[in-house]
Amino acid sequence: MPSLNGKVALVTGGSNGIGRAIAERLGRDGATVAITYARDEAAAKDTVAGIEADGGRAFALQVELGGSDDATRLWAAFDEAGREHVPDGKLDILVHNAAAGSFVTLPDLTQEDFDRVFAVNVRAPFFVTQAALPRLRDGGRIIAISSLAATLATPGTIAYSASKGALDAFTLSLAKELGPRGITVNAVSPAIVLTRHHDRLKENPEAAAREAARVALGRLGEPADIADFVAFLASDDARWITGQVLDVTGGTEI
């Protein structure tokens, strides 16, 4: 039997890439899945349709994270869009996947770029979680998608790397705070995953081979590699794991 029957999950940034793979996997495992998207309505509808075609239940809500009232808007949209699927507004699994990138070194970093990255990658998870706490059932799961960039020197993504380091610290402290409620809080740390953001590697076999050579398992990650591990953390099998930043990189740079 699916391990998440009766559970409700929210995946931010769930219409593409890793987020979509997570939403699809949680749906297959029996959860009712809500996804947020910023602008790509067609992709969000396609993700929901795919989950439903596999026998699952899903709905989408349009919320662009990074604004001062994004948490309020997100949960209002959740209640509106999920009225049929989640009439009590409660939640079991919260996956912080939505992220903003920054691909410049410090000399070229602007304050506007820094603020945007931290607003989406740090402030949004903080306050979306804060607003979710009354909804989150005891024994629930909070899972953040971090990055190997938080612990591996990557000058070309310095703001993004710092934001993921902050997310890791958030994970550790929140796990301690929510432990008495049986809620586990963990972060998943991927390296390169072949999503639309890495189309350049799909089009350049030599560059892809160089990146794959850094990975002990000899290939680059796929969204399903991350989604399957997130599904494990969301399940009861992971009930004794909390406060961890878990390397899911195939052994990159070990």
Side-chain angles (χ1 to χ4, degrees):
M1 295 291 293
S3 61
L4 299 178
N5 275 343
K7 304 292 186 182
V8 177
L10 172 72
V11 182
T12 65
S15 62
N16 285 288
I18 293 172
R20 178 171 182 158
I22 292 170
E24 290 172 341
R25 174 60 198 267
L26 296 180
R28 288 197 300 272
D29 284 359
T32 297
V33 183
I35 64 168
T36 76
Y37 68 97
R39 290 173 293 277
D40 196 343
E41 183 179 8
K45 288 182 175 179
D46 190 56
T47 301
V48 169
I51 293 170
E52 292 176 339
D54 282 341
R57 292 168 296 174
F59 60 98
L61 39 143
Q62 194 277 324
V63 180
E64 187 162 1
L65 298 176
S68 60
D69 62 344
D70 53 3
T72 300
R73 289 186 290 105
L74 186 153
W75 291 114
F78 179 88
D79 289 335
E80 177 66 25
R83 187 175 301 161
E84 174 185 348
H85 299 280
V86 191
D88 64 359
K90 296 294 186 180
L91 188 72
D92 300 282
I93 302 158
L94 175 57
V95 181
H96 293 296
N97 168 76
S102 174
F103 303 98
V104 295
T105 58
L106 184 58
D108 296 319
L109 181 65
T110 65
Q111 291 187 21
E112 291 76 13
D113 193 35
F114 178 92
D115 289 345
R116 176 184 60 86
V117 168
F118 270 75
V120 177
N121 298 0
V122 183
R123 188 176 68 197
F126 267 65
F127 291 102
V128 167
T129 301
Q130 181 189 66
L133 291 180
R135 303 169 176 268
L136 191 62
R137 294 187 180 95
D138 290 354
R141 303 284 187 264
I142 298 174
I143 303 163
I145 306 304
S146 183
S147 173
L148 183 63
T151 54
L152 186 70
T154 49
T157 61
I158 191 167
Y160 174 82
S161 300
S163 73
K164 293 299 186 178
L167 192 61
D168 292 350
F170 173 68
T171 295
L172 181 63
S173 294
L174 190 62
K176 182 75 169 179
E177 182 173 349
L178 298 183
R181 293 181 56 189
I183 297 170
T184 68
V185 186
N186 293 289
V188 174
S189 180
I192 291 177
V193 178
L194 290 172
T195 66
R196 60 180 180 171
H197 299 298
H198 291 289
D199 283 344
R200 63 179 179 81
L201 293 177
K202 298 176 184 179
E203 298 166 0
N204 188 333
E206 291 184 0
R210 286 195 299 271
E211 294 294 345
R214 302 167 57 210
V215 184
L217 293 179
R219 66 170 177 84
L220 296 176
E222 297 285 350
D225 296 322
I226 313 306
D228 290 348
F229 191 71
V230 169
F232 164 70
L233 289 177
S235 76
D236 189 58
D237 289 346
R239 61 191 175 276
W240 206 234
I241 303 172
T242 196
Q244 303 302 305
V245 179
L246 298 148
D247 184 295
V248 188
T249 68
T252 299
E253 297 285 7
I254 59 173

